[in-house]
Amino acid sequence: MSSPEAALWWARSRAEGPLRVPSVTRTPAGMLRLVERDGEHCWLLTRPPDDVTPAMLRELRMQVLPVEFPNETRRVLAAALRCCWTDIQASPWPGQPATMREVLDVVDQLTPGRGEEVLHRFGMGAFRRLNASRWLDIDDDVQRVCLGPRVATWPDQDLPALRELCRELPPPRPDREPDR
Amino acid sequence: MSGSTPQGEDIVGDRVLVGLQSVRISRLSTHPIPVAAGTLIAVAGQGPKDSNGAGKSSLLAQISLLHADEQWRFGSGAPAAVDLLFNSEDAGGEDRWGNADHGYLIGVFAPAAGTLDQLQACALTVWIRIDRSNQKGPRLKLRWRDGLHLPVGDSEAEREQAADSVWQALPPRAGRQDVAARDLPRTLYGEHVRCVSFLSTSVRASAAPNLLAQPLNEISERRIFEAIAALTGIDTELEKERQARRHEYDRRQEASGAESDLATWEESAQVIEDGIDARDRARELVVEAADRWRSRTARLLCDALQRDADIQVEIAEIDTVINRDIRTAQELARQAAELADDEAFTRRQQAAMSTFGKLDSDDRELGNQIATLEQQIEDIDRLLRAAREAARDADGRNEQAAERERAEADAALEDTVKAVGVAEKALSDAESSLRDAESGRDLAQQQIEILAAEGIGAIGLLDAVVLDEPDRARWEAALWPYREAAVVDSEQLNRASQLLAGIPGSILIAANRASSAPGRLPGSADPEYDVSGFLAALHARTTARSDPDRVYDDAGIVVVGGFSQPATGRATRIAAARERVRQRSTAHEDAVKARNAAGQKVISAERRQKGARAAAEAYQLEGQAGTLRKKDQATRQARGELAPTLSAAQAERDAVLRLAGVRQQQIESLQRQKTTLDNTNKTRREKHGKLEEEQSQLGLPELIVRWDGTPDSASEYLRTLPDNQQSWSADDWWEEAKDLISTAISECFPPTASDTMPMEITGLLEESSQRGPGSSRRAQVAFAPLLRALRVYLRQQEGTDQYERQQIAIQREERHKSLAAARIGHEEAVQASRAYRGALTSAIKKTLADVAAEFDRLDGAYGGYGASLHYEDPPPPADPTEAWGWKVTPMWRRAEGRRHIPYDRRANTAQIDDRAIKLVCAAAAASGTGRPLVLVLDELGRNLGKQHRREAVALLGQIGRDSGITVVGALQDDMETYAIDACGQYVKLRRSSDSSPYNEQPVVVGYDEHAPRVELLRAWLTGNGYREPA
Amino acid sequence: MSGLFDDLLQPLGDKQRDALVSAWAALEYGSEPASEAALPALRDAALRHLLDQMLQRTGRTLVRAGAYLWTSGYRDDIAAVLAANGWGILPPLERAALILVLIHSVAIPRAEGRLAGDDWQSTHPTTPTHLRKLSQVRGQRRLSDALQWLRAAGLVRLVRGADSEMAGASYVPGPALRRLTPAARKRLQENLILAVGPDTALATAITVRRRLGRPEVTTSQRSGS
């Protein structure tokens, strides 16, 4: 069940975040394997005991490492979820790709009245943070936003609330540049 | 009651739940539900289709949560509690309703018995708020207040609203914050187990086994003990054992920490100490090396002194020998000088030499004269012979006659040469006329060529006319003036005259003109150029006369004719020209012949002239030859007379030369002897010089300075050395010193720390370890500074080293002390926990015996044949990190009078579930805590056969009365008949359709023999839609 | 469920399992060390031992962070392998900035006796003046990014108003450094000594011991979170 390799995989995942490896890699003990759409790579995520998440620390009134600009970051993640999680009866990961414009348009509708420049600057910062932490998988070159492997760690218990969130959020407005 | 417990802990104490109300929990309506504590409460459902879907499980889960059943995992914040909140998807109406973002569980606790006043005074309302999001803190929050604080309203909406405002009015209990899930069990019940539940998996999927949730036979003996311990309250005792073990563990960690600290510290201290030791050794080595170096200096000094004395002696000896040999050499020189200095001999020698020299040169002069004369005679003879030969050509003429004849011949030749030149000129003119006539360009040649170049045909007039013999006399004269004219076609006349603009005097005659023929005219030679027109005109102008033939022109011009050759017509003119050439050629040949004859005459005259001149010269030469022969004779005679004198002089000279050779040999011999002596002395002087140089290089003064004492003390020092070192050379001492210093350096700076070496030492060391010529000298020069640098370095380190040694010693002592103390502490802790376990063992055994007895009693009383518990003293934990592993094996008889069979043997599930309930009840009954227990059983009749159901329900109905246990059970549809007889309360949850989010008001039927409890709740119930019974 | 911990957790009751899992989360997710008072699994020696076993399986180990305080860190052997493979290594600028903070906030005060203990926590801020050289070499913008990154990783913490002279934030070592195991703390201390004073007697002793003893990993690896 436990092995030196598993220990190393876990430690590496802790140091580097979810690991993207070729699909031929054997799944190390206790890790979750998420195969990417193309099937050539998969993500390895650690499965904590009883799938406990950092959210539990709030119950203990303990601090987790703070996120920079938490509200903006959360808003962008929610908007991305709204755009990418098209079939909300299915699991959020991997979802469908969306464009940065669509995601920022949803953000724009949530916080109307902000200038395009501000929206873009905050949005890009949030994209960068979410991409680094693998909540989102962003391809800057083609302005594409996908949900990152971490969304697969959301417990089933939270999914109704997330679905409700998606139902409440406005969809991206088609063929309309955000506040230009 | 609860006054004795600390503030904020165990606030419910031994109060029991007498009523509950839920707000936005699942589909439950907000109607209060009274609880008849200590009875069996049957919960039934009536959904749109069957009993499911009415929220039975949610109600049971709520009761379980209110009683802090550990299944909820309060330590992690009871995350599953969120699933209790109203969820629109589960309610089948996500498009109609939203999820509830928060809800409340409200429980009313009161003493199990007492008067209404007492109950009212001691009632406690407990609120648990569940938030869906934990964004703003824990999801579960706990508030409470003495007395009844409950929402009241006529409708669901009102009650929901009321709930929110009552919650707001309740104070948070943990300072400004609310008590959260993890503190809920301790706060409400002080960690006492108040509830054992089997909850439907649809509500709560338990990962861990508990006595009711899992088939008993699948639970480990250890877990069974833990469950019993929790129910009976031994676990608080065990907690103390755990603390003792924890203490033991801490002490052990301290001891092993101190030990490994000491080891690590020793390791690093060892390195430092090794360094200090090495430096101490280096210090000794440095002292020793300095001693060796001093011995070397003494040895060098003594050796130098010895050598100095030796050199002195040697120099003195050399000086003596040199002086002796100088004297000998001087004597030899004197003898040589004497020999060289003989004046008489020298004069004789000089005289002989000069006499001989003079005579010899005279003789040679005479010889030269004779040779010259002979040469001259020979030359004249040759000339004479040649002159006589030439004189024969004179043919008898004398010189004057010959010269006159010659002059005449020359003049004749000159005349003939001139005649040849004239003839040649005439011939070449004739040949040229012939060539012109032949080419037709002798007349008007220039004009005809220009016109031909422009494509205009033209011919000379004389070529254009043909004259017959009779016409010649008249026409040749008439045409002659126009002999240079060119005939051109009359059409081209103008163009031709323009082309000839550059040649003034050109005459053109038109051809092909119509003529009025006056009579017979000469014919035209070329039909293209018909000149009849011109001839006719000319004829008309002229008149011919004869004797001589001539022509008169009307202009008064007379042209004389009579040409020997025909003047017109081409052929006739060429023939005439040839004739002229032939005549001229003949004339020319004649002239050449005449010139050749004259030439021959000139040659003969010349030969005769030369012969006459040679005869005169021969006569003159004969005279000269005679004079020269006489002169030669005289010279030969003079030489013969000189010969005897010359040979005498030669003999004298030879004698003198021999004598001089002997003398020279003697002198040279003497000089050689002297040179040998001089050379020997020179070698000696060189040696002398070398010795002196060596003496000066001994560097005695410097050595004495270096020794820093008298020379005597140096030899004295050497004498005091051990015998075996007496004979050591300076190099031996140097080797020793060098070895010592290099050992000292490697002690100070081991290869692993060579980079800490001071720059100065590194430099010196490098210098002294360089290879190549002079390496040893360089090493010796570097030695003293190296020694000094090392000494300085070691002195600098000395203070630190001493201090460090002290510090290490002090620390070592301290660390050993603290290790000893830690070991003692550990030992004491081991003893303490052992003692604690000893004391605890009997208490545990007693409790287990009580439970076993109760288990047996219950089994006997409710359909069994007797049961028991098997348990043993567990061995003390080998390690404080191991738990103290108590195990309990429940056993029961499978038939009357048979022996006890362990619980995990094969048996029917109904039996096993039955025993599980009995075991829980037994443990609760034997509990020393006095706290009432609630059993929550979803699916009351799970696995039970009909017979067993009846008994089980009877047991559950009875057990509350016996031991104050409240049993809440959900009924399957077919269980109602059994349950209604046995239960103290019946609750029916109702839901007729899915069109509304919440249930309808439940039906509650029950009888509580504790009337004040009913009274206590009256207002609450009636305020929320319940009616008073009729 | 094919978890890594099943065989450890299976025999436990709800309460103990709950205690272990919540303690695991507190250790692994918390930014600061967890207190024994809040977590029963840290109080009980047997549970704590189990907890350590759980951590060991994931390449982690229990680290004592003071009286009644615990956190988790990389196992020393695992950290060595991570560092050797370059997994999770700090980029050069981030590393340089962190080292400056450690030198100014810890090493120097410790050498001057103003700071006791070896847990790499400090109340002596590293001011913008201290960091100025780095910003001059690499540019203020890059340095800010690096510090933000370090902040997010818990390796440094912002303190305000420490330097009235210079604009910009001051920093002290972050809570992630408390995750260093004793061996890692020692290694860091020694590496700093070697970096700052390579020709001191202390450095000599370290060099000698390292060469004598087992070879230790000298690369400083990202030891935090």
Side-chain angles (χ1 to χ4, degrees):
Chain A
M1 204 153 213
S2 69
S3 68
E5 300 115 82
L8 193 56
W9 277 108
W10 274 71
R12 188 178 164 196
S13 174
R14 169 140 187 128
E16 299 190 324
L19 301 169
R20 188 166 178 270
V21 296
S23 290
V24 290
T25 314
R26 211 168 56 84
T27 311
M31 290 186 100
L32 184 66
R33 175 197 190 85
L34 297 172
V35 182
E36 280 194 343
R37 251 181 295 269
D38 63 8
E40 280 177 28
H41 286 87
C42 63
W43 290 96
L44 295 179
L45 284 83
T46 54
R47 291 195 61 186
D50 290 348
D51 291 328
V52 61
T53 65
M56 204 213 82
L57 262 64
R58 291 215 187 82
E59 305 295 341
L60 298 178
R61 295 193 204 279
M62 285 181 67
Q63 296 298 311
V64 290
L65 280 171
V67 178
E68 313 245 339
F69 303 103
N71 294 335
E72 189 63 28
T73 308
R74 250 176 250 148
R75 200 149 36 222
V76 170
L77 179 58
L81 189 66
R82 175 68 183 87
C83 296
C84 297
W85 192 17
T86 46
D87 178 7
I88 59 170
Q89 295 312 315
S91 121
W93 201 86
Q96 293 296 318
T99 66
M100 284 182 172
R101 189 202 65 79
E102 289 169 333
V103 175
L104 289 182
D105 184 54
V106 175
V107 176
D108 187 33
Q109 294 179 68
L110 291 177
T111 55
R114 289 202 295 190
E116 200 243 340
E117 198 265 329
V118 174
L119 175 71
H120 187 79
R121 183 153 48 82
F122 280 104
M124 286 303 148
F127 276 140
R128 187 166 47 75
R129 283 188 290 280
L130 290 166
N131 186 49
S133 54
R134 304 288 183 210
W135 284 109
L136 294 181
D137 188 5
I138 290 176
D139 190 335
D140 274 322
D141 294 337
V142 297
Q143 303 271 301
R144 193 199 60 176
V145 179
C146 290
L147 294 174
R150 263 194 215 262
V151 302
T153 63
W154 275 326
D156 289 347
Q157 190 192 9
D158 291 352
L159 293 186
L162 290 166
R163 277 195 286 268
E164 192 180 27
L165 174 75
C166 272
R167 280 193 293 268
E168 284 170 5
L169 286 179
R173 293 165 288 193
D175 305 320
R176 183 172 176 280
E177 294 296 299
D179 261 11
R180 207 161 276 265
Chain B
M1 276 187 215
S2 59
S4 60
T5 53
Q7 180 65 34
E9 193 168 312
D10 199 13
I11 54 161
V12 174
D14 50 9
R15 286 181 275 213
V16 295
L17 180 72
V18 293
L20 67 111
Q21 191 170 9
S22 36
V23 180
R24 300 197 198 93
I25 297 301
S26 185
R27 272 168 285 178
L28 298 176
S29 65
T30 49
H31 295 95
I33 296 178
V35 176
T39 65
L40 170 63
I41 299 164
V43 180
Q46 186 182 7
K49 302 182 194 76
D50 52 20
S51 70
N52 292 320
K56 286 183 291 186
S57 295
S58 301
L59 183 67
L60 265 60
Q62 195 181 165
I63 293 168
S64 156
L65 185 65
L66 264 174
H67 285 93
D69 180 6
E70 63 183 38
Q71 276 191 73
W72 289 96
R73 309 188 73 166
F74 291 95
S76 302
V82 176
D83 294 340
L84 289 178
L85 287 176
F86 175 78
N87 175 334
S88 59
E89 288 178 15
D90 289 352
E94 64 263 34
D95 43 352
R96 280 172 288 175
W97 315 300
N99 294 338
D101 59 354
H102 71 279
Y104 303 97
L105 302 183
I106 308 158
V108 178
F109 292 88
T115 63
L116 180 61
D117 286 347
Q118 283 170 330
L119 292 189
Q120 271 170 342
C122 295
L124 174 75
T125 312
V126 170
W127 285 65
I128 296 174
R129 176 182 164 118
I130 304 172
D131 276 295
R132 189 174 289 281
S133 158
N134 68 355
Q135 211 64 58
K136 300 209 171 73
R139 280 174 165 149
L140 253 62
K141 297 178 192 68
L142 177 66
R143 288 183 186 178
W144 66 88
R145 189 173 247 182
D146 290 335
L148 268 58
H149 299 276
L150 295 154
V152 177
D154 288 335
S155 66
E156 292 289 321
E158 272 180 41
R159 286 190 286 270
E160 279 184 14
Q161 215 170 356
D164 283 333
S165 45
V166 174
W167 170 264
Q168 293 296 338
L170 293 171
R173 291 291 184 158
R176 280 186 205 165
Q177 292 180 320
D178 281 309
V179 174
R182 49 192 271 268
D183 294 321
L184 187 144
R186 195 170 43 81
T187 309
L188 288 180
Y189 306 109
E191 300 286 5
H192 292 291
V193 174
R194 293 293 293 268
C195 174
V196 179
S197 47
F198 161 68
L199 294 179
S200 154
T201 50
S202 68
V203 176
R204 167 83 195 97
S206 174
N210 84 33
L211 285 186
L212 298 183
Q214 214 83 358
L216 185 63
N217 57 344
E218 289 174 14
I219 300 175
S220 72
E221 293 162 326
R222 195 167 173 149
R223 278 286 304 136
I224 291 172
F225 169 77
E226 281 169 8
I228 293 171
L231 283 168
T232 53
I234 332 175
D235 63 341
T236 48
E237 303 292 318
L238 283 168
E239 178 60 35
K240 287 175 190 155
E241 189 271 344
R242 276 196 287 273
Q243 276 170 11
R245 208 145 35 75
R246 159 78 203 272
H247 182 70
E248 180 191 336
Y249 173 78
D250 285 353
R251 296 292 85 73
R252 193 189 67 170
Q253 288 302 99
E254 261 172 33
S256 75
E259 205 165 338
S260 73
D261 268 8
L262 180 60
T264 345
W265 179 84
E266 275 291 357
E267 201 184 357
S268 58
Q270 192 60 49
V271 172
I272 297 170
E273 280 185 322
D274 286 351
I276 296 172
D277 286 349
R279 280 192 286 280
D280 280 349
R281 281 197 299 280
R283 281 182 194 105
E284 285 166 19
L285 288 167
V286 165
V287 168
E288 220 171 313
D291 279 354
R292 295 288 194 267
W293 185 249
R294 184 150 175 80
S295 298
R296 175 177 173 273
T297 313
R299 172 52 70 201
L300 280 176
L301 180 57
C302 287
D303 285 357
L305 284 169
Q306 183 62 46
R307 183 66 190 141
D308 189 48
D310 291 353
I311 289 170
Q312 299 270 13
V313 170
E314 227 175 307
I315 286 176
E317 279 169 7
I318 288 170
D319 283 350
T320 315
V321 186
I322 286 176
N323 286 336
R324 189 193 65 208
D325 284 357
I326 286 174
R327 276 191 303 277
T328 315
Q330 279 167 351
E331 175 59 20
L332 287 170
R334 194 189 53 73
Q335 286 175 9
E338 263 173 34
L339 273 176
D341 196 21
D342 187 343
E343 214 171 305
F345 178 77
T346 310
R347 266 199 305 280
R348 182 185 160 195
Q349 193 182 17
Q350 281 169 351
M353 291 309 283
S354 83
T355 309
F356 173 76
K358 189 173 155 290
L359 289 173
D360 190 47
S361 93
D362 287 353
D363 180 53
R364 223 168 280 163
E365 174 63 22
L366 288 172
N368 287 346
Q369 283 176 11
I370 291 166
T372 311
L373 286 169
E374 278 175 354
Q375 182 66 46
Q376 284 171 344
I377 291 167
E378 211 172 293
D379 288 348
I380 287 183
D381 279 353
R382 201 171 52 244
L383 289 172
L384 185 58
R385 273 194 309 278
R388 280 178 186 150
E389 182 73 25
R392 275 196 290 273
D393 290 337
D395 293 344
R397 287 167 179 86
N398 67 12
E399 202 173 349
Q400 281 163 328
E403 269 171 20
R404 193 181 61 244
E405 274 178 36
R406 169 78 192 272
E408 284 164 4
D410 281 348
L413 178 59
E414 204 169 313
D415 291 343
T416 56
V417 167
K418 280 177 193 157
V420 169
V422 170
E424 263 175 9
K425 172 74 173 113
L427 176 59
S428 100
D429 286 349
E431 281 169 348
S432 162
S433 299
L434 173 62
R435 273 197 306 279
D436 286 347
E438 279 173 345
S439 64
R441 301 213 174 137
D442 49 345
L443 301 171
Q445 178 189 351
Q446 220 179 340
Q447 285 83 353
I448 291 169
E449 277 171 6
I450 287 173
L451 293 174
E454 294 298 326
I456 300 176
I459 57 174
L461 174 65
L462 296 188
D463 286 343
V465 181
V466 181
L467 291 181
D468 296 335
E469 197 55 32
D471 295 332
R472 273 186 65 194
R474 187 204 185 292
W475 282 100
E476 278 180 350
L479 290 172
W480 191 249
Y482 308 103
R483 64 190 179 271
E484 289 295 336
V487 178
V488 180
D489 189 88
S490 61
E491 300 284 317
Q492 312 241 23
L493 204 56
N494 278 338
R495 188 155 161 253
S497 49
Q498 276 163 3
L499 286 171
L500 294 177
I503 311 174
S506 297
I507 308 170
L508 292 172
I509 294 173
N512 309 330
R513 269 174 58 189
S515 66
S516 51
R520 212 185 60 87
L521 288 172
S524 293
D526 192 329
E528 280 188 40
Y529 301 95
D530 178 12
V531 289
S532 53
F534 166 69
L535 292 176
L538 196 58
H539 183 77
R541 250 169 56 187
T542 54
T543 319
R545 307 223 180 125
S546 55
D547 243 358
D549 294 335
R550 61 193 185 271
V551 175
Y552 281 86
D553 192 305
D554 292 351
I557 304 162
V558 178
V559 181
V560 180
F563 296 87
S564 62
Q565 300 286 335
T568 63
R570 193 174 153 87
T572 45
R573 281 198 311 121
I574 288 171
R578 268 197 193 127
E579 181 56 29
R580 258 191 323 271
V581 167
R582 197 190 50 79
Q583 285 169 4
R584 297 289 187 274
S585 177
T586 310
H588 179 255
E589 274 166 25
D590 291 348
V592 168
K593 271 176 199 161
R595 190 194 64 195
N596 287 355
Q600 279 303 315
K601 277 181 189 153
V602 168
I603 291 164
S604 306
E606 195 177 11
R607 194 185 71 229
R608 280 176 201 129
Q609 188 185 22
K610 277 180 186 166
R613 279 179 189 164
E617 195 182 291
Y619 174 77
Q620 211 179 346
L621 284 170
E622 272 164 13
Q624 278 177 5
T627 318
L628 282 174
R629 281 201 179 99
K630 274 187 212 124
K631 211 171 171 184
D632 182 48
Q633 204 78 34
T635 312
R636 279 177 196 273
Q637 202 177 340
R639 197 181 180 192
E641 283 163 9
L642 187 63
T645 328
L646 179 62
S647 74
Q650 191 164 11
E652 170 66 5
R653 186 201 64 175
D654 288 351
V656 168
L657 281 177
R658 199 173 56 249
L659 274 174
V662 171
R663 214 175 263 260
Q664 189 60 35
Q665 273 173 5
Q666 284 174 347
I667 291 170
E668 275 172 11
S669 162
L670 288 170
Q671 275 171 343
R672 262 200 306 280
Q673 285 175 39
K674 182 176 175 283
T675 310
T676 313
L677 285 175
D678 284 350
N679 284 344
T680 316
N681 270 355
K682 193 181 167 197
T683 317
R684 285 189 186 120
R685 278 200 198 91
E686 275 169 12
K687 191 175 179 193
H688 186 275
K690 273 182 195 152
L691 285 170
E692 277 179 343
E693 196 188 330
E694 188 188 340
Q695 201 175 15
S696 72
Q697 277 178 355
L698 284 174
L700 267 177
E702 196 204 334
L703 281 173
I704 290 170
V705 170
R706 255 157 67 186
W707 170 249
D708 196 21
T710 63
D712 289 344
S713 68
S715 55
E716 184 57 36
Y717 172 86
L718 286 177
R719 258 197 302 285
T720 58
L721 289 173
D723 286 347
N724 62 329
Q725 293 181 353
Q726 292 281 337
S727 59
W728 284 14
S729 69
D731 281 347
D732 291 339
W733 287 115
W734 159 242
E735 288 296 327
E736 282 275 313
K738 197 169 67 177
D739 286 353
L740 286 169
I741 199 84
S742 71
T743 316
I745 287 170
S746 60
E747 288 283 12
C748 281
F749 313 106
T752 45
S754 53
D755 41 356
T756 58
M757 199 183 282
M759 288 285 281
E760 189 189 6
I761 295 182
T762 317
L764 289 167
L765 199 57
E766 216 165 86
E767 206 166 302
S768 67
S769 62
Q770 256 175 15
R771 293 283 167 260
S775 61
S776 156
R777 195 186 51 76
R778 275 201 300 276
Q780 286 168 9
V781 169
F783 182 83
L786 186 58
L787 194 65
R788 192 168 50 246
L790 206 54
R791 238 187 223 146
V792 169
Y793 171 79
L794 286 170
R795 205 175 303 134
Q796 281 169 350
Q797 300 289 322
E798 211 158 10
T800 326
D801 283 355
Q802 271 174 10
Y803 175 76
E804 292 243 25
R805 241 190 230 293
Q806 273 174 5
Q807 287 300 307
I808 287 174
I810 292 168
Q811 283 211 29
R812 183 170 284 138
E813 200 189 351
E814 278 174 3
R815 281 168 191 269
H816 277 285
K817 263 189 208 160
S818 65
L819 174 60
R823 281 184 178 146
I824 290 167
H826 177 228
E827 193 47 44
E828 283 172 358
V830 170
Q831 296 299 338
S833 54
R834 192 177 299 156
Y836 206 87
R837 274 193 291 275
L840 204 54
T841 304
S842 52
I844 290 171
K845 279 181 161 172
K846 167 151 192 334
T847 307
L848 288 177
D850 289 352
V851 175
E854 184 65 16
F855 188 32
D856 186 42
R857 192 188 69 74
L858 283 175
D859 193 50
Y862 297 99
Y865 309 101
S868 171
L869 296 178
H870 176 77
Y871 47 89
E872 277 170 6
D873 276 16
D879 190 282
T881 59
E882 283 175 23
W884 190 25
W886 283 85
K887 290 175 182 173
V888 169
T889 316
M891 306 170 87
W892 59 87
R893 297 181 216 278
R894 307 288 161 104
E896 187 63 56
R898 308 299 282 271
R899 58 187 183 82
H900 290 102
I901 303 289
Y903 74 109
D904 47 1
R905 296 287 173 77
R906 209 165 61 82
N908 74 49
T909 49
Q911 263 195 21
I912 292 171
D913 286 352
D914 174 63
R915 286 346 182 266
I917 291 167
K918 284 171 178 164
L919 183 56
V920 170
C921 293
S927 163
T929 60
R931 302 295 162 91
L933 188 71
V934 176
L935 298 187
V936 176
L937 295 168
D938 207 342
E939 302 176 39
L940 192 60
R942 183 179 64 135
N943 298 331
L944 298 183
K946 274 199 172 161
Q947 182 59 32
H948 287 288
R949 283 183 184 179
R950 194 177 293 281
E951 281 168 7
V953 171
L955 164 68
L956 295 173
Q958 192 58 40
I959 210 153
R961 284 187 281 277
D962 287 354
S963 47
I965 294 175
T966 311
V967 180
V968 185
L971 292 178
Q972 289 101 317
D973 296 344
D974 58 347
M975 283 284 289
E976 289 205 18
T977 45
Y978 308 111
I980 284 173
D981 290 341
C983 72
Q985 183 176 339
Y986 174 88
V987 179
K988 185 162 214 158
L989 303 172
R990 296 183 305 153
R991 176 175 181 78
S992 53
S993 85
D994 282 336
S995 60
S996 73
Y998 295 122
N999 283 356
E1000 292 146 40
Q1001 185 173 18
V1003 175
V1004 183
V1005 180
Y1007 172 75
D1008 193 339
E1009 58 195 21
H1010 299 288
R1013 290 206 302 228
V1014 180
E1015 201 57 40
L1016 179 71
L1017 304 178
R1018 180 188 294 274
W1020 180 34
L1021 294 174
T1022 53
N1024 283 303
Y1026 289 99
R1027 281 175 286 109
E1028 294 278 351
Chain C
M1 194 160 121
S2 61
L4 192 62
F5 315 98
D6 291 356
D7 60 325
L8 293 175
L9 296 176
Q10 209 75 67
L12 302 176
D14 265 321
K15 200 166 166 181
Q16 291 184 331
R17 185 174 179 130
D18 185 21
L20 268 183
V21 170
S22 56
W24 186 92
L27 291 177
E28 287 283 87
Y29 298 143
S31 65
E32 300 281 344
S35 162
E36 279 182 17
L39 296 160
L42 289 174
R43 280 199 299 273
D44 181 72
L47 286 180
R48 197 202 296 150
H49 181 68
L50 261 178
L51 186 58
D52 192 32
Q53 278 180 287
M54 288 168 71
L55 290 168
Q56 296 277 341
R57 288 190 180 184
T58 63
R60 310 280 290 171
T61 187
L62 202 55
V63 175
R64 189 168 211 136
Y68 307 109
L69 288 178
W70 297 89
T71 183
S72 59
Y74 289 111
R75 268 160 53 184
D76 291 319
D77 57 337
I78 292 284
V81 178
L82 289 177
N85 284 297
W87 289 329
I89 295 286
L90 285 183
L93 181 61
E94 278 78 357
R95 197 184 308 179
L98 176 60
I99 287 172
L100 273 184
V101 171
L102 290 180
I103 286 174
H104 288 292
S105 292
V106 183
I108 292 174
R110 197 184 281 174
E112 292 171 353
R114 285 187 285 141
L115 194 65
D118 74 335
D119 63 352
W120 294 98
Q121 298 298 296
S122 169
T123 50
H124 304 278
T126 297
T127 61
T129 315
H130 295 136
L131 295 166
R132 189 170 53 197
K133 181 141 278 168
L134 209 52
S135 73
Q136 281 168 353
V137 176
R138 304 294 296 271
Q140 184 60 46
R141 172 104 195 111
R142 284 277 295 115
L143 181 64
S144 298
D145 285 351
L147 284 165
Q148 190 174 331
W149 196 94
L150 289 173
R151 226 161 47 218
L155 287 166
V156 300
R157 205 173 54 212
L158 198 82
V159 278
R160 298 201 184 275
D163 188 349
S164 48
E165 303 286 311
M166 288 271 290
S170 296
Y171 293 90
V172 292
L177 286 156
R178 305 186 75 171
R179 294 186 179 275
L180 293 174
T181 62
R185 285 200 291 269
K186 189 172 152 206
R187 209 159 51 226
L188 184 56
Q189 163 91 356
E190 289 181 352
N191 283 346
L192 272 187
I193 288 171
L194 288 178
V196 174
D199 47 2
T200 56
L202 216 46
T204 309
I206 292 166
T207 318
V208 170
R209 197 176 60 248
R210 282 194 177 173
R211 294 196 190 160
L212 292 180
R214 64 276 146 202
E216 283 182 82
V217 185
T218 49
T219 334
S220 119
Q221 96 276 349
R222 171 173 151 197
S223 33
S225 44

